[in-house]
PDB file of all heavy atoms in Angstrom:
ATOM      1  N   LEU A   1       0.827  -1.244   0.010  1.00  0.00           N
ATOM      2  CA  LEU A   1      -0.007   0.014  -0.009  1.00  0.00           C
ATOM      3  C   LEU A   1       0.856   1.265  -0.020  1.00  0.00           C
ATOM      4  O   LEU A   1       0.550   2.229  -0.670  1.00  0.00           O
ATOM      5  CB  LEU A   1      -0.935   0.004   1.237  1.00  0.00           C
ATOM      6  CG  LEU A   1      -2.100  -0.985   1.274  1.00  0.00           C
ATOM      7  CD1 LEU A   1      -2.891  -0.767   2.544  1.00  0.00           C
ATOM      8  CD2 LEU A   1      -2.976  -0.917   0.037  1.00  0.00           C
ATOM      9  N   GLU A   2       1.939   1.200   0.757  1.00  0.00           N
ATOM     10  CA  GLU A   2       2.817   2.383   0.900  1.00  0.00           C
ATOM     11  C   GLU A   2       3.469   2.752  -0.428  1.00  0.00           C
ATOM     12  O   GLU A   2       3.873   3.898  -0.624  1.00  0.00           O
ATOM     13  CB  GLU A   2       3.860   2.079   1.984  1.00  0.00           C
ATOM     14  CG  GLU A   2       4.562   3.296   2.500  1.00  0.00           C
ATOM     15  CD  GLU A   2       5.450   3.006   3.661  1.00  0.00           C
ATOM     16  OE1 GLU A   2       5.527   1.818   4.098  1.00  0.00           O
ATOM     17  OE2 GLU A   2       6.123   3.904   4.127  1.00  0.00           O
ATOM     18  N   SER A   3       3.576   1.771  -1.317  1.00  0.00           N
ATOM     19  CA  SER A   3       4.235   2.050  -2.595  1.00  0.00           C
ATOM     20  C   SER A   3       3.345   2.751  -3.617  1.00  0.00           C
ATOM     21  O   SER A   3       3.826   3.248  -4.623  1.00  0.00           O
ATOM     22  CB  SER A   3       4.772   0.745  -3.198  1.00  0.00           C
ATOM     23  OG  SER A   3       3.668  -0.071  -3.655  1.00  0.00           O
ATOM     24  N   TYR A   4       2.052   2.818  -3.342  1.00  0.00           N
ATOM     25  CA  TYR A   4       1.125   3.433  -4.308  1.00  0.00           C
ATOM     26  C   TYR A   4       1.016   4.912  -4.042  1.00  0.00           C
ATOM     27  O   TYR A   4       0.954   5.320  -2.873  1.00  0.00           O
ATOM     28  CB  TYR A   4      -0.267   2.760  -4.197  1.00  0.00           C
ATOM     29  CG  TYR A   4      -0.258   1.293  -4.408  1.00  0.00           C
ATOM     30  CD1 TYR A   4      -1.095   0.403  -3.682  1.00  0.00           C
ATOM     31  CD2 TYR A   4       0.589   0.709  -5.400  1.00  0.00           C
ATOM     32  CE1 TYR A   4      -1.069  -0.961  -3.896  1.00  0.00           C
ATOM     33  CE2 TYR A   4       0.603  -0.665  -5.619  1.00  0.00           C
ATOM     34  CZ  TYR A   4      -0.224  -1.493  -4.874  1.00  0.00           C
ATOM     35  OH  TYR A   4      -0.216  -2.840  -5.072  1.00  0.00           O
ATOM     36  N   ILE A   5       0.941   5.699  -5.138  1.00  0.00           N
ATOM     37  CA  ILE A   5       0.951   7.138  -4.982  1.00  0.00           C
ATOM     38  C   ILE A   5      -0.412   7.773  -5.309  1.00  0.00           C
ATOM     39  O   ILE A   5      -0.593   8.977  -5.079  1.00  0.00           O
ATOM     40  CB  ILE A   5       2.050   7.804  -5.853  1.00  0.00           C
ATOM     41  CG1 ILE A   5       1.832   7.430  -7.353  1.00  0.00           C
ATOM     42  CG2 ILE A   5       3.442   7.354  -5.371  1.00  0.00           C
ATOM     43  CD1 ILE A   5       2.799   8.184  -8.277  1.00  0.00           C
ATOM     44  N   HIS A   6      -1.344   7.032  -5.875  1.00  0.00           N
ATOM     45  CA  HIS A   6      -2.673   7.589  -6.131  1.00  0.00           C
ATOM     46  C   HIS A   6      -3.716   6.451  -6.062  1.00  0.00           C
ATOM     47  O   HIS A   6      -3.372   5.280  -6.066  1.00  0.00           O
ATOM     48  CB  HIS A   6      -2.734   8.309  -7.492  1.00  0.00           C
ATOM     49  CG  HIS A   6      -2.423   7.444  -8.656  1.00  0.00           C
ATOM     50  ND1 HIS A   6      -3.296   6.457  -9.116  1.00  0.00           N
ATOM     51  CD2 HIS A   6      -1.314   7.354  -9.487  1.00  0.00           C
ATOM     52  CE1 HIS A   6      -2.729   5.850 -10.168  1.00  0.00           C
ATOM     53  NE2 HIS A   6      -1.525   6.359 -10.378  1.00  0.00           N
ATOM     54  N   VAL A   7      -4.943   6.841  -5.940  1.00  0.00           N
ATOM     55  CA  VAL A   7      -6.030   5.857  -5.880  1.00  0.00           C
ATOM     56  C   VAL A   7      -6.117   5.033  -7.150  1.00  0.00           C
ATOM     57  O   VAL A   7      -5.647   5.509  -8.217  1.00  0.00           O
ATOM     58  CB  VAL A   7      -7.401   6.548  -5.605  1.00  0.00           C
ATOM     59  CG1 VAL A   7      -7.378   7.286  -4.299  1.00  0.00           C
ATOM     60  CG2 VAL A   7      -7.775   7.480  -6.758  1.00  0.00           C
ATOM     61  N   PRO A   8      -6.655   3.821  -7.095  1.00  0.00           N
ATOM     62  CA  PRO A   8      -6.751   3.021  -8.323  1.00  0.00           C
ATOM     63  C   PRO A   8      -7.634   3.689  -9.352  1.00  0.00           C
ATOM     64  O   PRO A   8      -8.773   4.044  -9.048  1.00  0.00           O
ATOM     65  CB  PRO A   8      -7.375   1.671  -7.821  1.00  0.00           C
ATOM     66  CG  PRO A   8      -7.952   1.993  -6.498  1.00  0.00           C
ATOM     67  CD  PRO A   8      -7.161   3.101  -5.926  1.00  0.00           C
ATOM     68  N   THR A   9      -7.113   3.841 -10.559  1.00  0.00           N
ATOM     69  CA  THR A   9      -7.859   4.541 -11.614  1.00  0.00           C
ATOM     70  C   THR A   9      -8.203   3.660 -12.805  1.00  0.00           C
ATOM     71  O   THR A   9      -8.919   4.109 -13.719  1.00  0.00           O
ATOM     72  CB  THR A   9      -7.013   5.743 -12.111  1.00  0.00           C
ATOM     73  OG1 THR A   9      -5.769   5.262 -12.631  1.00  0.00           O
ATOM     74  CG2 THR A   9      -6.759   6.718 -10.984  1.00  0.00           C
ATOM     75  N   ASN A  10      -7.674   2.457 -12.850  1.00  0.00           N
ATOM     76  CA  ASN A  10      -7.943   1.566 -14.006  1.00  0.00           C
ATOM     77  C   ASN A  10      -7.979   0.114 -13.549  1.00  0.00           C
ATOM     78  O   ASN A  10      -7.694  -0.202 -12.394  1.00  0.00           O
ATOM     79  CB  ASN A  10      -6.943   1.818 -15.124  1.00  0.00           C
ATOM     80  CG  ASN A  10      -5.499   1.624 -14.637  1.00  0.00           C
ATOM     81  OD1 ASN A  10      -5.179   0.631 -13.986  1.00  0.00           O
ATOM     82  ND2 ASN A  10      -4.622   2.609 -14.961  1.00  0.00           N
ATOM     83  N   LYS A  11      -8.323  -0.772 -14.492  1.00  0.00           N
ATOM     84  CA  LYS A  11      -8.447  -2.207 -14.149  1.00  0.00           C
ATOM     85  C   LYS A  11      -7.150  -2.780 -13.652  1.00  0.00           C
ATOM     86  O   LYS A  11      -7.136  -3.588 -12.700  1.00  0.00           O
ATOM     87  CB  LYS A  11      -8.974  -2.936 -15.387  1.00  0.00           C
ATOM     88  CG  LYS A  11      -9.286  -4.398 -15.100  1.00  0.00           C
ATOM     89  CD  LYS A  11      -9.808  -5.086 -16.365  1.00  0.00           C
ATOM     90  CE  LYS A  11     -10.104  -6.544 -16.106  1.00  0.00           C
ATOM     91  NZ  LYS A  11     -10.614  -7.292 -17.313  1.00  0.00           N
ATOM     92  N   LYS A  12      -6.045  -2.429 -14.305  1.00  0.00           N
ATOM     93  CA  LYS A  12      -4.725  -2.976 -13.923  1.00  0.00           C
ATOM     94  C   LYS A  12      -4.424  -2.647 -12.455  1.00  0.00           C
ATOM     95  O   LYS A  12      -3.954  -3.483 -11.701  1.00  0.00           O
ATOM     96  CB  LYS A  12      -3.664  -2.405 -14.828  1.00  0.00           C
ATOM     97  CG  LYS A  12      -2.277  -2.948 -14.537  1.00  0.00           C
ATOM     98  CD  LYS A  12      -1.291  -2.392 -15.537  1.00  0.00           C
ATOM     99  CE  LYS A  12       0.148  -2.950 -15.251  1.00  0.00           C
ATOM    100  NZ  LYS A  12       1.140  -2.400 -16.221  1.00  0.00           N
ATOM    101  N   GLU A  13      -4.716  -1.399 -12.053  1.00  0.00           N
ATOM    102  CA  GLU A  13      -4.442  -0.966 -10.673  1.00  0.00           C
ATOM    103  C   GLU A  13      -5.437  -1.659  -9.711  1.00  0.00           C
ATOM    104  O   GLU A  13      -5.022  -2.022  -8.584  1.00  0.00           O
ATOM    105  CB  GLU A  13      -4.499   0.548 -10.597  1.00  0.00           C
ATOM    106  CG  GLU A  13      -3.349   1.220 -11.316  1.00  0.00           C
ATOM    107  CD  GLU A  13      -3.529   2.711 -11.482  1.00  0.00           C
ATOM    108  OE1 GLU A  13      -4.573   3.239 -11.174  1.00  0.00           O
ATOM    109  OE2 GLU A  13      -2.548   3.336 -11.923  1.00  0.00           O
ATOM    110  N   PHE A  14      -6.669  -1.798 -10.125  1.00  0.00           N
ATOM    111  CA  PHE A  14      -7.667  -2.504  -9.315  1.00  0.00           C
ATOM    112  C   PHE A  14      -7.193  -3.943  -9.030  1.00  0.00           C
ATOM    113  O   PHE A  14      -7.287  -4.454  -7.896  1.00  0.00           O
ATOM    114  CB  PHE A  14      -8.972  -2.508 -10.048  1.00  0.00           C
ATOM    115  CG  PHE A  14     -10.055  -3.351  -9.420  1.00  0.00           C
ATOM    116  CD1 PHE A  14     -10.741  -2.995  -8.267  1.00  0.00           C
ATOM    117  CD2 PHE A  14     -10.359  -4.585 -10.006  1.00  0.00           C
ATOM    118  CE1 PHE A  14     -11.703  -3.798  -7.699  1.00  0.00           C
ATOM    119  CE2 PHE A  14     -11.372  -5.375  -9.463  1.00  0.00           C
ATOM    120  CZ  PHE A  14     -12.033  -4.976  -8.295  1.00  0.00           C
ATOM    121  N   GLU A  15      -6.654  -4.585 -10.058  1.00  0.00           N
ATOM    122  CA  GLU A  15      -6.271  -5.988  -9.955  1.00  0.00           C
ATOM    123  C   GLU A  15      -4.976  -6.208  -9.189  1.00  0.00           C
ATOM    124  O   GLU A  15      -4.573  -7.369  -8.975  1.00  0.00           O
ATOM    125  CB  GLU A  15      -6.155  -6.607 -11.364  1.00  0.00           C
ATOM    126  CG  GLU A  15      -7.551  -6.738 -12.017  1.00  0.00           C
ATOM    127  CD  GLU A  15      -7.504  -7.314 -13.430  1.00  0.00           C
ATOM    128  OE1 GLU A  15      -6.379  -7.331 -14.001  1.00  0.00           O
ATOM    129  OE2 GLU A  15      -8.564  -7.663 -13.971  1.00  0.00           O
ATOM    130  N   ARG A  16      -4.318  -5.115  -8.775  1.00  0.00           N
ATOM    131  CA  ARG A  16      -3.170  -5.281  -7.880  1.00  0.00           C
ATOM    132  C   ARG A  16      -3.517  -6.023  -6.593  1.00  0.00           C
ATOM    133  O   ARG A  16      -2.681  -6.594  -5.924  1.00  0.00           O
ATOM    134  CB  ARG A  16      -2.601  -3.892  -7.523  1.00  0.00           C
ATOM    135  CG  ARG A  16      -1.828  -3.253  -8.668  1.00  0.00           C
ATOM    136  CD  ARG A  16      -1.522  -1.777  -8.308  1.00  0.00           C
ATOM    137  NE  ARG A  16      -0.606  -1.176  -9.283  1.00  0.00           N
ATOM    138  CZ  ARG A  16      -0.364   0.123  -9.298  1.00  0.00           C
ATOM    139  NH1 ARG A  16      -0.906   0.933  -8.413  1.00  0.00           N
ATOM    140  NH2 ARG A  16       0.507   0.586 -10.233  1.00  0.00           N
ATOM    141  N   MET A  17      -4.804  -5.955  -6.233  1.00  0.00           N
ATOM    142  CA  MET A  17      -5.257  -6.568  -4.952  1.00  0.00           C
ATOM    143  C   MET A  17      -5.633  -8.045  -5.095  1.00  0.00           C
ATOM    144  O   MET A  17      -5.915  -8.713  -4.106  1.00  0.00           O
ATOM    145  CB  MET A  17      -6.457  -5.792  -4.404  1.00  0.00           C
ATOM    146  CG  MET A  17      -6.146  -4.347  -3.963  1.00  0.00           C
ATOM    147  SD  MET A  17      -5.036  -4.270  -2.547  1.00  0.00           S
ATOM    148  CE  MET A  17      -3.449  -3.899  -3.298  1.00  0.00           C
ATOM    149  N   ILE A  18      -5.615  -8.597  -6.321  1.00  0.00           N
ATOM    150  CA  ILE A  18      -6.064  -9.989  -6.525  1.00  0.00           C
ATOM    151  C   ILE A  18      -5.152 -10.946  -5.720  1.00  0.00           C
ATOM    152  O   ILE A  18      -5.623 -11.885  -5.098  1.00  0.00           O
ATOM    153  CB  ILE A  18      -6.023 -10.342  -8.015  1.00  0.00           C
ATOM    154  CG1 ILE A  18      -7.182  -9.646  -8.735  1.00  0.00           C
ATOM    155  CG2 ILE A  18      -6.129 -11.854  -8.218  1.00  0.00           C
ATOM    156  CD1 ILE A  18      -7.192  -9.838 -10.236  1.00  0.00           C
ATOM    157  N   SER A  19      -3.862 -10.699  -5.762  1.00  0.00           N
ATOM    158  CA  SER A  19      -2.907 -11.581  -5.051  1.00  0.00           C
ATOM    159  C   SER A  19      -3.117 -11.652  -3.552  1.00  0.00           C
ATOM    160  O   SER A  19      -2.729 -12.613  -2.881  1.00  0.00           O
ATOM    161  CB  SER A  19      -1.471 -11.205  -5.395  1.00  0.00           C
ATOM    162  OG  SER A  19      -1.211  -9.924  -4.933  1.00  0.00           O
ATOM    163  N   PHE A  20      -3.770 -10.618  -2.997  1.00  0.00           N
ATOM    164  CA  PHE A  20      -3.966 -10.574  -1.527  1.00  0.00           C
ATOM    165  C   PHE A  20      -5.384 -11.051  -1.165  1.00  0.00           C
ATOM    166  O   PHE A  20      -5.652 -11.415  -0.044  1.00  0.00           O
ATOM    167  CB  PHE A  20      -3.775  -9.143  -1.009  1.00  0.00           C
ATOM    168  CG  PHE A  20      -2.427  -8.601  -1.164  1.00  0.00           C
ATOM    169  CD1 PHE A  20      -2.074  -7.734  -2.163  1.00  0.00           C
ATOM    170  CD2 PHE A  20      -1.419  -8.997  -0.269  1.00  0.00           C
ATOM    171  CE1 PHE A  20      -0.769  -7.216  -2.309  1.00  0.00           C
ATOM    172  CE2 PHE A  20      -0.114  -8.495  -0.360  1.00  0.00           C
ATOM    173  CZ  PHE A  20       0.198  -7.614  -1.390  1.00  0.00           C
ATOM    174  N   ALA A  21      -6.317 -11.022  -2.149  1.00  0.00           N
ATOM    175  CA  ALA A  21      -7.758 -11.201  -1.841  1.00  0.00           C
ATOM    176  C   ALA A  21      -8.087 -12.610  -1.399  1.00  0.00           C
ATOM    177  O   ALA A  21      -9.089 -12.843  -0.740  1.00  0.00           O
ATOM    178  CB  ALA A  21      -8.592 -10.812  -3.044  1.00  0.00           C
ATOM    179  N   SER A  22      -7.258 -13.552  -1.662  1.00  0.00           N
ATOM    180  CA  SER A  22      -7.511 -14.986  -1.285  1.00  0.00           C
ATOM    181  C   SER A  22      -7.061 -15.267   0.160  1.00  0.00           C
ATOM    182  O   SER A  22      -7.309 -16.367   0.659  1.00  0.00           O
ATOM    183  CB  SER A  22      -6.841 -15.941  -2.260  1.00  0.00           C
ATOM    184  OG  SER A  22      -5.421 -15.738  -2.271  1.00  0.00           O
ATOM    185  N   ASN A  23      -6.370 -14.300   0.742  1.00  0.00           N
ATOM    186  CA  ASN A  23      -5.893 -14.473   2.111  1.00  0.00           C
ATOM    187  C   ASN A  23      -6.994 -14.020   3.083  1.00  0.00           C
ATOM    188  O   ASN A  23      -7.174 -12.853   3.356  1.00  0.00           O
ATOM    189  CB  ASN A  23      -4.612 -13.649   2.320  1.00  0.00           C
ATOM    190  CG  ASN A  23      -3.978 -13.892   3.663  1.00  0.00           C
ATOM    191  OD1 ASN A  23      -4.628 -14.203   4.661  1.00  0.00           O
ATOM    192  ND2 ASN A  23      -2.668 -13.752   3.733  1.00  0.00           N
ATOM    193  N   ASP A  24      -7.747 -14.968   3.622  1.00  0.00           N
ATOM    194  CA  ASP A  24      -8.914 -14.678   4.454  1.00  0.00           C
ATOM    195  C   ASP A  24      -8.529 -13.942   5.741  1.00  0.00           C
ATOM    196  O   ASP A  24      -9.234 -13.071   6.210  1.00  0.00           O
ATOM    197  CB  ASP A  24      -9.686 -15.949   4.779  1.00  0.00           C
ATOM    198  CG  ASP A  24     -10.414 -16.533   3.592  1.00  0.00           C
ATOM    199  OD1 ASP A  24     -10.395 -15.866   2.525  1.00  0.00           O
ATOM    200  OD2 ASP A  24     -11.018 -17.568   3.696  1.00  0.00           O
TER     201      ASP A  24
END
């Protein structure tokens, strides 16, 4: 999170969270 400089603005940025989303 700290590495991101602006809010997600496109699909590629939205999908940055896919790798974390399976961790309940």
